[in-house]
Structure formats: C-alpha cells, structure tokens
Amino acid sequence: QVHVVESGGGLVQAGGSLRLSCAASGNIFSINTMDWYRQAPGKQREFVAIITSGGITNYADSVKGRFIISRDNAKNTTYLQMNSLKPEDTAVYYCKTMATTLQGRYLGVWGQGTLVTVSS
C-alpha cells in the first residue's frame, strides 16, 4: 500500500503565508507526479498545482505567482508554499501522488486533506 499524509494547514490572516507538506510512504518504487488540489465549502475539488519527478511545475491561474510547489524526491515529499493568502483560498487542501509500487502497479493515492482557513 501507498500512504499519503498532508500537514501544515491552519488559520492565517489575509496576506499571510503557510507551507503545506505532503509525504508519501509505503510500498513505493517510484513517484511520478505529486499534485495539490483544494475543495472549498460547497464547491467542487479543483486543481492547484502539480510537480513532476523532474521538477516541472504547473499552477492554476488563481494561485499563479502566489503559490510555489516544490519536491524532495529523497523524502517522497512535496511542499506547497502559499503566500499572499486570500480568504478565497480557504479550503481543504489535498495531495495526490501518482506512484509505482514495488509490484509494478501504478496508483493514484489521495491524502486525507488539511484545512486552510484565511481570515479577512
């Protein structure tokens, strides 16, 4: 099995910063992409950012220039540095990891989410 755990959420004032972490562990041979998504109350889950194993990144327009995704391949961990936070960034943030297991299975595994609340 592959496990994904997010951390780092919390309450922050508008204009502030938070850094989220997402660690994958378990029966992992390799990890391809690591993505961040978010889901605000009453809304659908939406894409935030993605990073490939080679470090190529892409962002949703709504966070471009404010959020930075990075990755430590040795630790199977991705980070989301969130700057200039706005109340509309309030959501549960989820990490999704595309991993190949030691048995050769290719899996997409979601974490349980971490809540980010931005007060105005």
Side-chain angles (χ1 to χ4, degrees), residues 8-12 18 20 114-118:
L11 174 64
V12 63
L18 276 177
L20 306 182
T114 185
L115 176 63
V116 172
T117 304
V118 184

Side-chain angles (χ1 to χ4, degrees), residues 24-80:
S25 62
N27 186 23
I28 297 172
F29 174 74
S30 65
I31 293 177
N32 187 3
T33 57
M34 301 186 85
D35 317 355
W36 287 97
Y37 287 74
R38 67 186 181 187
Q39 188 166 17
K43 295 189 176 181
Q44 289 190 328
R45 191 171 298 189
E46 65 176 5
F47 168 78
V48 175
I50 185 172
I51 186 165
T52 70
S53 57
I56 297 172
T57 61
N58 195 22
Y59 298 90
D61 288 343
S62 58
V63 307
K64 213 171 279 186
R66 298 188 298 123
F67 290 11
I68 301 171
I69 188 171
S70 61
R71 177 170 172 166
D72 185 335
N73 288 330
K75 296 181 179 179
N76 290 335
T77 298
T78 183
Y79 306 96
L80 187 68

